[in-house]
Amino acid sequence: MLRIIEYLVFAIGAAAIIVVSYLMGQWSYSWLPVEASTDAQRIDDLFCFLVTLGSVIFFGVIGMILFSLIAYRAPKGDYSEGHPIRGDWKLEVTWTAIPTLLVLIIVGYSFIIYQKMDIAGPTRVLGELPVGIQRANAQTINQNIADTELIEVISQQWDWTFRYPKQNVVSKELHLPSNQRVRLVLQSKDVLHGFYVPEFRIKQDIIPNRNINFQFIPTRVGKYQLHDSQFSGTYFAVMQADVYVDTPQDYVRWLAQAANHPSNTLSLAASEEAQPPHQVFKSNWYTVLPAKPKEVDSSNFALRNFTNDQ
Amino acid sequence: MQNSAPQNLRPSHEDPRYGQEDEIFVDLEQLRQKMPRPLRRFFPNGGGHHHREKDRTLFGFTVFLMSESVIFLAFIVSYIALRLTAETWLPPGVKGPEVSTSIIIYTVVLLSSSLVIYLAERALERGKINLFRLLWLTTSAMGSFFLYGEIKEWLSNSFGPSTGLVGSTYYLLTGFHGLHVTAGIILQLIMLGRSFIPHNYDKGHFGATAVSLFWHLVDAIWIILFSLLYLWKA
Amino acid sequence: MTNNPAQSLAGASESATHSEIHNWRQYFSFNTDHKVIGIQYLVTSFIFFLIAGLLGMFIRAELITPPSDLVDRPLYNGLFTMHGTLMIFLWIIPSLVGLANYLVPLMIGAKDMAFPTLNAISFWLIPPGGLLLMSSFLLPSGTAQSGWWSYPPLSIQNPGDNLLNGQLFWCLSLVVLGISSIMAAVNFVTTIIWLRAPGMTFFRMPIFVWSVFSAQILQLLFLPSLTGAAIILFCDLTFGTNFFRPFVDGDPVLYQHLFWFYSHPTVYVWALPCFGIFSEIIPAFSRNPLFGYRSVAIATISLAVITSVVWVHHMFASGTPEWMRLLFMLTSELVAVPTGIKVFAWTATIWRGKLHLETPMLFAIGGVMMFLVGGVTGVMLGAMPFDLHVNNTHFIVGHFHYLVFNTITMAIYGAVYFWFPKMTGRMYAEGWGKIHFWLTFIGANLTFFPMFPLGLQGMVRRISSYEPQYAGWNILASLGAFLLGVSTLPFIANIIASWLYGARATKNPWLATGLEWIVSSPPPKENFEEIPHVHFPPYSYGSPQAWSQDASDPYDY
Ligand code: HEA
Ligand code: HEA
Ligand code: CUA
Ligand SMILES: [Cu+2]
């Protein structure tokens, strides 16, 4: 009797899990911020796949456990033994083989996604192995991508500065043309920082005294937040900058405008440091002082070689 | 795999399969029998209480030394990685560590002390306690001479710990090694002192064996450091 | 408290050791008995857990509102740095070493550890190491504030230019704790290889012993890398060397490699013993043998091997070359295979069993369930392109708290309940245990689940103020955290009261198999009057009287 119930529950459960997992996967897109770069969509597809597969595994195992908890509770006061079965090599081989296969599928799919992505590989430290030499940009949805924009991103505790070398514009906000490949050269003047805009789904640490090439294609016009993603000390939390993805026309207009009005706003960190601390618990521990606005001028930071260093 | 035979039917102690019927995949006892003798004593198979405590302690000490050498490994790998990737290894005007007659002398003295400590150990095994003390003390003296030489090198160097990467790596590696030499000498002196305690060797001379093992390791590491720091030319 | 028949059965043979009143002073002395040391470890690390948890409460209190309003920014940075460091190096690692100290000699039929004095020294390095770390709260420059990773060049900035600064204390205390761990590892490996009772072959060792063995080998081989990194960091900080100074050609990424080369394998140093705990508790409360014992044992060893070559998955965004990203993605994902073997083995063990849901079993099952969440999200992180999005966000914080709290701390709780009768000779109060479980289970999910949506939305970790759009989930997480804080109270009350006044425990209140259950509770000084001979595989549940064969007369050959 219990056997039949087991099989029934099994079959219904398996079907339910597949349906639920599929729905979870579809739902997962809504857990993420809007997609604002070509890579965002690829990452989201990967995430959908991972959530679907993860749900199958999670609900599958949890389902088995919960079923056992309900079906096999020992009656009160029953201290008899269970069964003496110590294993079953067929079963054990199966549950080694299937996860191996799944894992290889995950890795393969991730690899394909990575190949399609528009970001450039970071600096080559110990030489490049000949895997995935081709950055297949052909699949990009946007067929006519204009010339690469090159923007220098200068990070320091706790401030961002952006320099457009061609136009010689220095700015505190990052403006990007939509649907064009932008190429950033990430630099740091002191400690590690990280370039992260959630809507772009990509992230890269910035290493002092290195130029790190980073590229992607923003697609959605709008205003976003750039956040430092690698912990950098006291005012890490407010090391932010506004990112605007403009239509190419707006972008050109902004560049022309910005060339005439060099921005010199105080960083959030510097203005917070200027105020007396207002928190309940004050430690008054020492901190590195935030950069003053005029320290961040472009002249003392010549753009070094544009290719990856080394 | 239905386990049909009841658990409580146990094979008797005399049963040749005793203690082995579970080793289906790898018969560890058989593997052990095939090992060369010095290795074999490091791997008892069940029933460790039959074995002498000395073997066990030596085993533990060897494991410890292996772990300790991983710190050196970390330093050495860092050295190699930095040296291979740094754009400027030598800051302008700085010459790295140079092979000189004096450093060769110090090195030779340190390395030959390994032989001396080996002889000391042999003497102890044969019960020649005074010869042991003499050779043992010689080892410490040779080690101290090496330390003295190293400090002299340090003082005469044209670079300090904050001079580029050469200085940093040089002082870290030699300094950490020097600490080990110092520790070795202290251990040797303790063992020397203990040799005057009556009945000290009744239970074997594990202490002396361990210290000499340590000393050999320190010497071996110096060979690596010497090649990396002095012989590797830019 | 249970009222199962073994109490009446085995209770008759209770020996006189019960009357031997344990002198509480022995726990404050340099004692070389592995059981005393085990309890010293457990209690000490639990105190550090409370302190670190209190810091966690402050973190959550700050994060309940978007602006930075509770603690100033350097203090917040100090809080999570100390929280992480204390939790890892003074809670998880020592508490598991403590459990292993108590259990391994008993489980393999030995009278003590291989080197009892060394064992005591390892323990007595822990309190000074911890106090050294804690004392940096009193320094004018404050504690270390660069996260538990202490990535340079941030960690070598030393803003106040004080010779004595928090980062220095951090480095030194890590070296001290590292020495303690290495000595413990030497001791465990030697003990397990040398002191197994006759007949206790490798494939008769309980899985807990297997996992301690694998975990301690990992400690031996990888911990020195962290010690080395801390020493170099210390030199850069204090002696002005240039290893990690980027502007004089040093390489900060080198530190990351040295750090994660240990700090990834260490997550399995924590996880493996907990898998061992699950493998002990689950068969005992489902009355089935552990399903696939041998493959679980082999999976344990293979985990130790695979986990040693995946460390770069913490550095996917760190300026890592492409080939490393791809290679380490592959190895990281492979970890799922042997882990899966274990999870499936536990699931199969309770299948068609006779389940008893006492507190230890609740913690074990709850821990396994939440481990799945941590593991599945771990596999997502291993998929490198996705990791580029969530790296350094609260998604990571969620992932690892599901493991370090919801799995490992749960497992430790389960273990404490399971072996409490053995350790103290008294039963704990079952009702309070169940309350503790439910508060912890609910609190933990409330606290750490919201971190996944937060991270997906892009909330970066290690920030004390955030955009208002993240407020909702954060409030939930903070409330959950306070519930977690409350959940420790029934546990503490239960343990203290039961230790003092609980009902006497029999030798084997759970009818469990394993050598630790054939000696009295608590075991006598040298554990076994005569070294037992082992003639049966472990986990011989399932056949009638299996337990009583093990429990009654082990010497009947
Ligand atoms: C005990 C602790 C523990 C454990 C067990 C794990 C387990 C795993 N972890 Fe986790 N991890 C941490 C503790 C732990 N981790 C910590 C502390 C950090 C962050 C540190 C910091 O940054 O401060 C971290 C961070 C971390 C990162 C870095 C993220 C980043 O910073 O960007 C990654 C990336 O790959 C990762 C991956 C994994 C994987 C793949 C596993 C796997 O081992 C999981 C395997 C388990 C399962 C998969 C579930 C069971 C399996 C099955 C049911 C079989 C079927 C499954 C499949 C086919 C998928 N972890
Ligand atoms: C290893 C184990 C471990 C454990 C068990 C925990 C447990 C907890 N952690 Fe942990 N946490 C880490 C390890 C751990 N953490 C690490 C490694 C980091 C990363 C640090 C870094 O980024 O560098 C981290 C970071 C971290 C953050 C992220 C901070 C940030 O990035 O900004 C948060 C935020 O919510 C958090 C919260 C919590 C909470 C609420 C608990 C709760 O489970 C705690 C529950 C607390 C208790 C149960 C005790 C309560 C006690 C009392 C109320 C009474 C106290 C009384 C006295 C002291 C007398 N932790
Ligand atoms: Cu058989 Cu000792
Ligand atoms: Cu990891």
Side-chain angles (χ1 to χ4, degrees):
Chain A
M1 185 57 201
L2 196 60
R3 285 286 159 98
I4 297 173
I5 297 180
E6 267 176 31
Y7 285 129
L8 252 170
V9 170
F10 234 0
I12 298 172
I17 284 169
I18 289 174
V19 173
V20 168
S21 302
Y22 174 78
L23 293 177
M24 290 286 284
Q26 294 310 307
W27 191 22
S28 72
Y29 286 98
S30 68
W31 307 339
L32 294 154
V34 293
E35 296 169 347
S37 80
T38 51
D39 289 334
Q41 202 189 6
R42 304 185 178 116
I43 303 282
D44 291 5
D45 290 343
L46 177 62
F47 182 58
C48 163
F49 169 72
L50 292 169
V51 169
T52 313
L53 193 74
S55 302
V56 173
I57 291 162
F58 177 76
F59 290 117
V61 178
I62 293 280
M64 300 284 278
I65 294 178
L66 288 180
F67 177 79
S68 305
L69 286 184
I70 295 163
Y72 307 124
R73 282 287 289 277
K76 241 192 153 50
D78 176 0
Y79 289 93
S80 60
E81 294 293 318
H83 60 67
I85 298 168
R86 289 181 163 270
D88 178 345
W89 69 268
K90 274 189 214 147
L91 197 57
E92 286 166 44
V93 168
T94 316
W95 72 40
T96 313
I98 291 180
T100 313
L101 197 74
L102 290 179
V103 154
L104 292 179
I105 293 174
I106 295 176
V107 172
Y109 188 53
S110 306
F111 178 73
I112 293 170
I113 295 276
Y114 188 63
Q115 289 306 296
K116 285 188 192 159
M117 282 172 65
D118 292 307
I119 54 167
T123 46
R124 281 120 225 241
V125 184
L126 296 171
E128 194 88 18
L129 282 194
V131 247
I133 324 141
Q134 269 195 324
R135 303 236 58 83
N137 300 321
Q139 270 114 337
T140 313
I141 332 143
N142 314 287
Q143 292 302 321
N144 39 5
I145 286 166
D147 240 15
T148 308
E149 276 295 327
L150 194 141
I151 304 163
E152 203 182 338
V153 176
I154 302 153
S155 55
Q156 64 179 305
Q157 286 170 319
W158 292 271
D159 197 15
W160 295 97
T161 310
F162 309 99
R163 210 170 83 92
Y164 297 74
K166 254 190 279 173
Q167 296 81 1
N168 203 15
V169 165
V170 177
S171 165
K172 290 284 172 191
E173 341 173 298
L174 179 60
H175 281 253
L176 303 170
S178 68
N179 293 330
Q180 285 183 27
R181 176 177 304 282
V182 284
R183 189 162 150 209
L184 305 183
V185 180
L186 306 177
Q187 299 166 329
S188 161
K189 290 176 103 175
D190 36 46
V191 300
L192 301 172
H193 297 280
F195 183 95
Y196 179 43
V197 180
E199 287 79 2
F200 297 165
R201 308 281 192 282
I202 43 175
K203 185 177 284 129
Q204 176 60 52
D205 284 9
I206 309 175
I207 299 166
N209 204 22
R210 254 195 225 173
N211 289 322
I212 293 185
N213 251 330
F214 192 57
Q215 48 182 317
F216 56 92
I217 303 171
T219 52
R220 189 175 169 279
V221 174
K223 183 186 171 197
Y224 309 99
Q225 278 284 312
L226 162 67
H227 203 291
D228 183 5
S229 61
Q230 186 59 278
F231 182 61
S232 58
T234 309
Y235 290 105
F236 172 65
V238 291
M239 185 163 164
Q240 296 166 335
D242 291 336
V243 180
Y244 295 88
V245 177
D246 299 332
T247 58
Q249 299 85 342
D250 285 350
Y251 176 68
V252 174
R253 209 171 303 137
W254 175 79
L255 272 178
Q257 207 181 13
N260 304 328
H261 303 278
S263 68
N264 231 358
T265 45
L266 207 57
S267 70
L268 283 172
S271 51
E272 195 174 317
E273 174 72 23
Q275 309 283 318
H278 57 277
Q279 290 92 345
V280 180
F281 294 99
K282 296 179 228 354
S283 66
N284 297 320
W285 289 342
Y286 307 143
T287 167
V288 175
L289 290 179
K292 305 231 167 44
K294 61 172 167 325
E295 282 170 16
V296 199
D297 96 37
S298 54
S299 55
N300 62 9
F301 212 78
L303 198 58
R304 303 201 318 176
N305 47 334
F306 275 126
T307 48
N308 288 323
D309 51 351
Q310 291 159 30
Chain B
M1 198 165 31
Q2 191 87 18
N3 208 343
S4 47
Q7 303 293 302
N8 33 19
L9 273 190
R10 299 171 190 158
S12 82
H13 201 193
E14 288 70 41
D15 189 326
R17 295 182 310 132
Y18 164 73
Q20 285 169 30
E21 71 273 25
D22 306 327
E23 309 279 359
I24 293 178
F25 285 151
V26 250
D27 187 335
L28 293 172
E29 181 57 25
Q30 236 180 44
L31 264 179
R32 194 177 89 86
Q33 295 292 342
K34 283 193 201 131
M35 287 178 179
R37 245 190 57 173
L39 254 184
R40 202 186 308 162
R41 70 170 184 191
F42 283 102
F43 294 99
N45 190 19
H49 66 295
H50 290 308
H51 300 267
R52 278 176 308 151
E53 197 182 327
K54 182 195 156 183
D55 284 353
R56 190 207 303 163
T57 319
L58 210 56
F59 172 87
F61 193 72
T62 316
V63 169
F64 169 75
L65 287 186
M66 267 159 48
S67 184
E68 181 75 6
S69 13
V70 179
I71 301 189
F72 274 107
L73 189 71
F75 289 168
I76 290 169
V77 168
S78 307
Y79 172 83
I80 295 174
L82 285 174
R83 183 139 187 193
L84 288 179
T85 55
E87 270 167 39
T88 45
W89 179 251
L90 295 175
V94 174
K95 281 199 284 178
E98 301 256 298
V99 188
S100 61
T101 34
S102 53
I103 188 72
I104 290 180
I105 293 174
Y106 302 136
T107 302
V108 168
V109 167
L110 183 70
L111 296 188
S112 37
S113 73
S114 253
L115 184 68
V116 179
I117 203 170
Y118 169 72
L119 293 176
E121 231 190 316
R122 288 270 304 266
L124 185 61
E125 270 164 28
R126 292 209 225 95
K128 298 183 183 164
I129 186 78
N130 280 326
L131 181 62
F132 161 73
R133 286 181 186 136
L134 180 70
L135 289 170
W136 198 252
L137 198 63
T138 316
T139 316
S140 319
M142 291 166 93
S144 313
F145 178 69
F146 172 83
L147 267 188
Y148 158 80
E150 197 162 72
I151 291 168
K152 247 181 76 175
E153 283 287 303
W154 277 27
L155 296 179
S156 67
N157 274 335
S158 62
F159 52 87
S162 45
T163 317
L165 286 173
V166 220
S168 302
T169 50
Y170 174 85
Y171 284 97
L172 179 77
L173 287 171
T174 55
F176 198 63
H177 179 260
L179 271 181
H180 280 74
V181 177
T182 318
I185 294 172
I186 293 172
L187 286 175
Q188 283 162 3
L189 295 181
I190 292 174
M191 290 302 145
L192 187 67
R194 285 234 241 153
S195 78
F196 291 97
I197 301 173
H199 305 297
N200 182 41
Y201 295 116
D202 287 358
K203 284 205 224 148
H205 20 76
F206 155 73
T209 318
V211 172
S212 90
L213 211 59
F214 182 73
W215 197 249
H216 294 314
L217 178 76
V218 168
D219 285 0
I221 287 175
W222 180 250
I223 299 178
I224 302 173
L225 295 190
F226 185 76
S227 337
L228 285 177
L229 292 173
Y230 288 90
L231 302 182
W232 181 358
K233 285 285 157 246
Chain C
M1 259 183 299
T2 58
N3 50 348
N4 60 37
Q7 287 195 340
S8 46
L9 265 169
S13 61
E14 278 307 283
S15 69
T17 43
H18 256 338
S19 53
E20 174 201 317
I21 304 292
H22 275 278
N23 190 341
W24 59 269
R25 278 203 196 86
Q26 71 183 342
Y27 293 111
F28 294 87
S29 67
F30 189 88
N31 193 312
T32 58
D33 182 351
H34 74 97
K35 297 185 288 300
V36 175
I37 295 176
I39 289 178
Q40 286 175 326
Y41 263 113
L42 280 169
V43 174
T44 312
S45 57
F46 189 72
I47 291 171
F48 282 117
F49 170 68
L50 289 181
I51 298 172
L54 192 67
L55 302 186
M57 301 286 108
F58 274 101
I59 295 177
R60 283 313 327 169
E62 169 63 72
L63 291 182
I64 199 167
T65 53
S68 156
D69 44 15
L70 183 70
V71 293
D72 67 10
R73 301 215 186 250
L75 183 54
Y76 184 83
N77 297 343
L79 281 179
F80 68 71
T81 303
M82 296 296 277
H83 164 79
T85 312
L86 283 167
M87 281 290 189
I88 287 172
F89 296 102
L90 290 151
W91 159 238
I92 295 199
I93 292 182
S95 62
L96 290 170
V97 167
L99 267 179
N101 233 306
Y102 198 98
L103 294 173
V104 165
L106 282 167
M107 285 181 162
I108 62 175
K111 293 192 178 221
D112 205 321
M113 296 282 285
F115 311 116
T117 316
L118 188 71
N119 200 14
I121 297 175
S122 316
F123 167 71
W124 281 107
L125 285 176
I126 301 272
L131 291 180
L132 180 67
L133 188 65
M134 296 289 301
S135 65
S136 60
F137 269 110
L138 304 175
L139 293 175
S141 59
T143 63
Q145 291 161 42
S146 45
W148 81 280
W149 315 337
S150 289
Y151 276 6
L154 180 65
S155 53
I156 51 180
Q157 271 189 324
N158 192 8
D161 258 338
N162 288 30
L163 181 63
L164 292 183
N165 55 69
Q167 197 64 49
L168 176 83
F169 281 42
W170 185 90
C171 292
L172 292 181
S173 114
L174 236 62
V175 171
V176 172
L177 297 171
I179 293 171
S180 154
S181 291
I182 292 287
M183 297 199 311
V186 167
N187 216 338
F188 280 117
V189 172
T190 312
T191 307
I192 293 171
I193 289 189
W194 284 81
L195 296 189
R196 279 168 295 126
M200 176 62 82
T201 57
F202 271 103
F203 282 104
R204 280 176 177 176
M205 296 194 309
I207 294 294
F208 184 75
V209 180
W210 269 107
S211 17
V212 171
F213 187 54
S214 319
Q216 296 299 326
I217 289 178
L218 284 177
Q219 288 283 69
L220 278 177
L221 295 180
F222 295 93
L223 194 126
S225 168
L226 178 69
T227 311
I231 292 175
I232 304 183
L233 201 63
F234 164 74
C235 291
D236 269 12
L237 185 69
T238 308
F239 301 134
T241 54
N242 298 322
F243 285 89
F244 304 136
R245 288 182 202 283
F247 292 104
V248 267
D249 263 329
D251 187 356
V253 181
L254 178 65
Y255 174 87
Q256 303 180 11
H257 281 288
L258 290 176
F259 181 81
W260 290 114
F261 187 66
Y262 168 67
S263 295
H264 179 79
T266 194
V267 308
Y268 272 88
V269 173
W270 321 332
L272 285 175
C274 297
F275 297 163
I277 293 168
F278 294 151
S279 308
E280 300 302 318
I281 295 179
I282 290 175
F285 289 92
S286 45
R287 312 311 302 162
N288 282 343
L290 180 66
F291 194 93
Y293 162 79
R294 196 171 273 105
S295 58
V296 174
I298 291 169
T300 305
I301 287 287
S302 31
L303 265 178
V305 175
I306 302 178
T307 199
S308 56
V309 287
V310 308
W311 76 94
V312 177
H313 69 209
H314 295 272
M315 302 164 55
F316 280 151
S318 300
T320 311
E322 190 162 88
W323 67 268
M324 273 196 196
R325 285 179 161 181
L326 294 172
L327 179 69
F328 285 89
M329 169 164 79
L330 177 67
T331 52
S332 303
E333 300 292 36
L334 280 179
V335 180
V337 176
T339 322
I341 294 180
K342 299 185 163 209
V343 172
F344 296 133
W346 300 322
T347 318
T349 303
I350 58 175
W351 190 251
R352 302 215 176 111
K354 295 248 167 64
L355 304 190
H356 299 264
L357 298 187
E358 317 286 21
T359 309
M361 183 64 161
L362 285 178
F363 273 100
I365 297 283
V368 172
M369 286 184 179
M370 294 200 278
F371 172 66
L372 276 169
V373 181
V376 167
T377 51
V379 167
M380 294 178 179
L381 295 176
M384 172 266 296
F386 173 67
D387 180 68
L388 293 181
H389 172 47
V390 288
N391 164 270
N392 277 336
T393 64
H394 271 259
F395 193 90
I396 312 293
V397 182
H399 157 70
F400 71 77
H401 279 90
Y402 259 86
L403 294 153
V404 293
F405 188 88
N406 301 15
T407 306
I408 292 177
T409 307
M410 293 284 267
I412 297 173
Y413 278 142
V416 168
Y417 284 112
F418 188 54
W419 283 289
F420 186 82
K422 186 49 61 186
M423 292 178 177
T424 62
R426 306 231 183 213
M427 295 306 294
Y428 62 86
E430 186 65 44
W432 284 101
K434 292 217 165 94
I435 292 178
H436 175 214
F437 169 76
W438 285 109
L439 287 180
T440 314
F441 189 78
I442 296 167
N445 282 296
L446 264 183
T447 312
F448 300 120
F449 186 80
M451 294 178 178
F452 294 125
L454 283 174
L456 290 173
Q457 289 290 320
M459 179 175 164
V460 173
R461 65 193 275 202
R462 296 172 167 173
I463 52 177
S464 57
S465 62
Y466 53 85
E467 310 286 284
Q469 85 219 44
Y470 302 125
W473 287 111
N474 269 306
I475 293 175
L476 208 58
S478 293
L479 294 180
F482 303 144
L483 185 62
L484 266 190
V486 173
S487 80
T488 47
L489 301 179
F491 173 71
I492 298 171
N494 191 353
I495 292 300
I496 294 178
S498 304
W499 201 335
L500 295 175
Y501 311 112
R504 295 280 180 205
T506 57
K507 258 185 191 179
N508 189 357
W510 312 120
L511 308 178
T513 68
L515 294 180
E516 78 268 32
W517 300 107
I518 66 173
V519 291
S520 63
S521 306
K525 183 139 186 11
E526 298 228 292
N527 300 346
F528 304 93
E529 283 153 50
E530 192 189 328
I531 296 290
H533 286 236
V534 181
H535 301 283
F536 40 80
Y539 309 108
S540 39
Y541 300 97
S543 32
Q545 267 105 48
W547 54 270
S548 64
Q549 289 291 335
D550 286 2
S552 58
D553 60 313
Y555 312 126
D556 71 329
Y557 54 91

